[in-house]
């Protein structure tokens, strides 16, 4: 069985419960979001993409 959900949906759920249960300061949320956005277009992008793909494959049970 494959799980197919839009990424923004998963990020929204994770963010909602993370903020609700952990109560991080607002500046930390802004720094993490902005940092992730800025890192997505750097030399680290391939590592981020492969890590994300590995996680999705693991959830879907399609690991090699």
């Amino acid at each position: 069985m494959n799980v197919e959900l839009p990424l923004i949906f998963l990020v929204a759920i994770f963010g909602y419960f993370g903020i609700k249960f952990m109560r991080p300061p607002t500046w930390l949320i802004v720094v993490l979001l902005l940092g992730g956005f800025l890192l997505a277009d750097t030399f680290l992008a391939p590592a981020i993409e492969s890590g994300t793909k590995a996680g999705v494959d693991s959830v879907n049970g399609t690991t090699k």
Side-chain angles (χ1 to χ4, degrees):
M1 177 174 92
N2 286 343
V3 177
E4 301 219 9
L5 291 172
L7 178 61
I8 192 69
F9 182 71
L10 295 176
V11 170
I13 290 173
F14 181 74
Y16 173 76
F17 285 113
I19 291 170
K20 182 176 173 95
F21 293 125
M22 294 178 31
R23 307 258 183 216
T26 305
W27 65 265
L28 181 60
I29 295 169
V30 171
V31 167
L32 290 174
L33 289 174
L34 187 59
F37 177 76
L38 293 174
L39 282 176
D41 204 24
T42 65
F43 66 95
L44 294 174
I48 294 169
E49 182 180 5
S50 68
T52 305
K53 182 160 176 44
V56 169
D57 287 344
S58 176
V59 168
N60 287 338
T62 57
T63 56
K64 295 180 182 176

